[in-house]
Amino acid sequence: MLRTFYRLLKFTFQNFFRNFWLSFVTVTIFVLTLIIVNAMIFMNYVADRALESIEDRVEVAVYFTSDASDTLVKSAQGYLLGFAQVRDVRFVSAESALETFIERHAGDDVILSSLDEVGNNPFGHSLVISAESPENFPFLLEAIETPEYAPFIEEKDFTNYEQVIDNIKTLNDRVRVGGYILAGFFTLVAILIIFNTIRVAIYVHRDEIGIMKLVGANDWFVRGPFLLEAVLYSVLALGIVIGLLTLAFNVLDPWMARYFSGIDVNVGTYFMQNAVPIFGTQLLLASMLSLLTTAVAMRRYLRV
Amino acid sequence: MIHLKGVSKTYQPNIKALQNISLNVKPGEFVSIVGQSGSGKSTLAKMLFAEERPTKGEVVIGEWDISKIKQADVPTLRRQIGVVFQDFKLLPRKTAAENIAFALEVAGEHSARMKEIVGHVLKIVGLEEKANRYPRQLSGGEQQRVSIARSLVHRPKLIIADEPTGNLDAIHAQEIIHLLKKINEFGTTVVLVTHDRDIVNGLKKRVVTLQNGEIASDVARGKYVLS
Ligand SMILES: Nc1ncnc2c1ncn2[C@@H]1O[C@H](COP(=O)(O)OP(=O)(O)OP(=O)(O)O)[C@@H](O)[C@H]1O
Ligand SMILES: [Mg+2]
């Protein structure tokens, strides 16, 4: 059994090297296809992380009128903290709001002097809410409008984060569709190339195949090398792609860390931790694709 | 060994290569099949190693009913039949020994046993000295001997040779026939398809003559009778 497998492997490598350039082109196309697939996995990962970290940072401020008391605002804080959707509610006092304002506009005499004209602190207390998910904000902003608090609420500052997030999602979706089309195109090219490579391999080996059959080789012994060759292409291509990715991550990771400063992206680690599902699936799909193509080519050109 | 009963073969669209052939060959016989070009000799030969299936009739080789043989059983049958052709069918990139070993390799034979068998059959055909030569470094007769050696590796009970001397001059042809006779003397049944009048007349063995796909004569110690 082992002996037979070893011999099949021998014939397979003979096939591979006898048509070296054809094998080379086949593997190259396979590599390109897999690079596109991995680039899409990469894009998805980065986009997800970016969205997550933006969503994490979304906060909404509720400004109370200046006649709202400490106690009232703090009770509103307690009320909000009671909701499961709320992650945190920060109390910002009128005084610290004024300080922040002065700090921010230090050097802007016009604004500071107009503040002097007002005389007393124009700011009220405010609450800064962060939620488990941005989708919770409309509900929370509704919830705070109780008869008790509503009269004292001056303004709710809900920056349109939804829009930003939507924009990112739309862009991501578009890139994804583009990626699918490209990947589909390359897969098609890969199929055609494999088909042709196997067809040529069968043609080149027609005498050998004829003799194999005459001397009583089993059908699968005749077919085996071609099927193994198909698997060999997939394994080789994936090996090359993993090598290239490792190289790319070493270069990319520090650069990306700088680019997405603050966002926790670590593509290399992500790929490494999920190596088995990511590359296992690719190996499986690539092998199945090339095996299927080879089977079709054999049906057409290999009369066993 | 060989039993043909009412065998006909019609190729598409409507070429009647063989018609109603009945023939029995006993184990250990040496039978020559002669006939003009296109009379159906090769078709008959192909029927014997399941390269072609009869359109009608029954073909039995040993215990194999070839008219009903399953595709999966064909390799097993082929290992019990040696076949030799006019064009040798050797692989140009393999040496004589490797060409012979190839037949054992694809059948899953052990390497050690393989070497032993290859050496043995090379000795039978008298080419031990030239085992490591490539086909292009051998004469036609020598190439045909390699091909015969290869057909012997599985110790077949039957050898089918379709014009094995067709590409050879008279001297080399005689060598090949001599070899086939020797193999026949060991007990192997030989079916020889040939055009060559001198060879047939020299053999003084059974001769089956085909004409337009039918058996025109079948003589025990025959001569080449066609004009
Ligand atoms: N695969 C095929 N398809 C269609 N017709 C075929 C096929 N093989 C042989 N024939 C036809 O069948 C007839 C018998 O052919 P066959 O090869 O058996 O003749 P032969 O006696 O071996 O001739 P030769 O002495 O020239 O080798 C011929 O008319 C030939 O054209
Ligand atoms: Mg012929």
Side-chain angles (χ1 to χ4, degrees):
Chain A
M1 209 42 228
L2 210 66
R3 184 171 54 241
T4 309
F5 185 70
Y6 164 76
R7 279 178 192 159
L8 283 177
L9 268 185
K10 195 182 88 182
F11 288 138
T12 305
F13 279 99
Q14 275 173 4
N15 282 5
F16 186 87
F17 286 107
R18 212 170 279 177
N19 302 305
F20 181 77
W21 287 109
L22 214 55
S23 307
F24 180 81
V25 170
T26 311
V27 172
T28 306
I29 292 293
F30 238 139
V31 166
L32 288 178
T33 312
L34 288 177
I35 283 179
I36 290 167
V37 169
N38 283 292
M40 282 174 62
I41 296 174
F42 169 91
M43 287 259 328
N44 260 333
Y45 168 75
V46 173
D48 278 358
R49 295 316 305 249
L51 280 175
E52 245 174 62
S53 81
I54 287 173
E55 288 179 353
D56 277 356
R57 285 187 208 181
V58 176
E59 290 176 338
V60 169
V62 178
Y63 298 99
F64 289 82
T65 54
S66 42
D67 55 345
S69 71
D70 248 31
T71 347
L72 179 104
V73 176
K74 283 200 168 139
S75 97
Q77 182 186 22
Y79 168 70
L80 281 173
L81 281 171
F83 287 98
Q85 295 95 324
V86 170
R87 188 144 47 117
D88 191 27
V89 181
R90 216 161 43 185
F91 175 79
V92 180
S93 70
E95 294 72 38
S96 72
L98 180 63
E99 262 166 44
T100 317
F101 185 83
I102 291 172
E103 235 167 70
R104 191 176 299 160
H105 297 282
D108 192 335
D109 291 338
V110 184
I111 290 183
L112 290 182
S113 64
S114 65
L115 196 64
D116 276 344
E117 255 162 59
V118 177
N120 58 355
N121 185 353
F123 295 100
H125 302 305
S126 56
L127 292 175
V128 178
I129 312 164
S130 51
E132 290 299 336
S133 145
E135 278 118 59
N136 301 135
F137 282 121
F139 166 75
L140 291 173
L141 292 177
E142 201 66 42
I144 195 150
E145 298 277 353
T146 63
E148 193 186 350
Y149 305 125
F152 297 100
I153 292 174
E154 191 170 70
E155 201 191 342
K156 291 180 282 188
D157 168 25
F158 183 36
T159 324
N160 218 341
Y161 282 109
E162 299 248 4
Q163 195 59 49
V164 177
I165 291 169
D166 274 355
N167 283 350
I168 294 180
K169 279 186 175 154
T170 314
L171 182 69
N172 190 33
D173 283 349
R174 268 190 211 145
V175 171
R176 210 179 296 198
V177 169
Y180 284 144
I181 293 172
L182 207 61
F185 173 73
F186 267 86
T187 305
L188 202 73
V189 173
I191 289 176
L192 290 177
I193 298 255
I194 293 169
F195 187 82
N196 189 54
T197 304
I198 298 296
R199 189 177 65 98
V200 170
I202 291 170
Y203 180 77
V204 167
H205 291 268
R206 64 196 183 286
D207 291 341
E208 204 166 336
I209 291 167
I211 291 166
M212 274 173 139
K213 285 190 253 170
L214 275 181
V215 298
N218 286 323
D219 286 358
W220 57 266
F221 201 95
V222 177
R223 290 195 180 104
F226 297 107
L227 294 171
L228 277 177
E229 196 175 343
V231 175
L232 181 67
Y233 292 142
S234 320
V235 171
L236 256 169
L238 192 66
I240 292 171
V241 167
I242 290 176
L244 288 177
L245 283 178
T246 313
L247 214 74
F249 292 151
N250 281 332
V251 178
L252 271 182
D253 257 1
W255 181 81
M256 294 244 307
R258 230 175 305 136
Y259 189 80
F260 294 101
S261 60
I263 304 176
D264 178 28
V265 283
N266 198 335
V267 195
T269 319
Y270 171 71
F271 268 87
M272 217 127 22
Q273 276 167 356
N274 298 289
V276 175
I278 290 180
F279 297 122
T281 312
Q282 286 180 45
L283 182 64
L284 209 74
L285 287 180
S287 302
M288 269 167 46
L289 190 85
S290 48
L291 278 175
L292 219 73
T293 309
T294 304
V296 174
M298 286 196 306
R299 262 185 83 101
R300 281 204 55 176
Y301 300 107
L302 186 64
R303 241 201 67 206
V304 177
Chain B
M1 188 80 234
I2 302 174
H3 304 279
L4 303 189
K5 216 169 107 190
V7 171
S8 298
K9 175 73 189 179
T10 310
Y11 289 113
Q12 293 301 327
N14 191 25
I15 302 158
K16 293 194 168 72
L18 291 178
Q19 290 181 66
N20 199 25
I21 300 276
S22 291
L23 182 69
N24 283 306
V25 177
K26 286 194 283 294
E29 262 194 277
F30 192 123
V31 184
S32 302
I33 310 236
V34 300
Q36 281 170 338
S37 187
S39 57
K41 306 183 294 295
S42 294
T43 304
L44 180 61
K46 284 177 189 166
M47 214 81 80
L48 303 180
F49 55 92
E51 176 81 5
E52 295 285 359
R53 305 291 176 96
T55 316
K56 232 170 69 192
E58 208 175 83
V59 180
V60 178
I61 306 293
E63 63 257 45
W64 299 88
D65 186 343
I66 294 194
S67 24
K68 297 197 190 98
I69 194 170
K70 277 189 292 215
Q71 195 57 38
D73 287 333
V74 171
T76 321
L77 169 80
R78 296 261 169 95
R79 286 177 206 170
Q80 294 166 25
I81 301 172
V83 278
V84 179
F85 296 94
Q86 180 171 358
D87 59 358
F88 321 136
K89 298 205 190 297
L90 298 176
L91 293 168
R93 289 172 189 256
K94 287 185 190 288
T95 63
E98 286 167 353
N99 263 290
I100 296 166
F102 188 65
L104 292 160
E105 220 174 341
V106 300
E109 188 59 78
H110 291 266
S111 298
R113 181 101 182 88
M114 222 159 81
K115 265 206 193 107
E116 198 180 306
I117 297 174
V118 171
H120 181 65
V121 294
L122 273 169
K123 203 160 150 195
I124 293 179
V125 301
L127 281 177
E128 305 107 298
E129 244 86 287
K130 297 178 176 170
N132 295 321
R133 292 217 197 161
Y134 288 91
R136 69 187 138 77
Q137 299 168 324
L138 296 168
S139 76
E142 287 167 339
Q143 288 185 53
Q144 191 59 293
R145 273 147 68 191
V146 174
S147 144
I148 290 174
R150 182 183 58 195
S151 77
L152 294 175
V153 292
H154 295 301
R155 299 174 161 276
K157 302 234 171 54
L158 170 64
I159 294 229
I160 297 157
D162 190 352
E163 309 214 25
T165 59
N167 279 349
L168 305 177
D169 59 37
I171 295 174
H172 283 116
Q174 273 312 323
E175 273 176 27
I176 296 299
I177 296 304
H178 183 73
L179 187 57
L180 287 175
K181 268 166 83 176
K182 195 167 104 187
I183 292 164
N184 176 243
E185 278 156 21
F186 292 156
T188 306
T189 311
V190 175
V191 174
L192 169 69
V193 173
T194 184
H195 257 133
D196 194 313
R197 173 189 300 267
D198 295 339
I199 284 175
V200 175
N201 292 344
L203 272 167
K204 301 187 178 65
K205 302 265 187 190
R206 181 175 172 193
V207 177
V208 174
T209 308
L210 290 184
Q211 206 165 10
N212 297 326
E214 290 174 281
I215 294 182
S217 74
D218 184 348
V219 187
R221 280 173 62 91
K223 291 218 176 242
Y224 196 92
V225 288
L226 288 168
S227 50

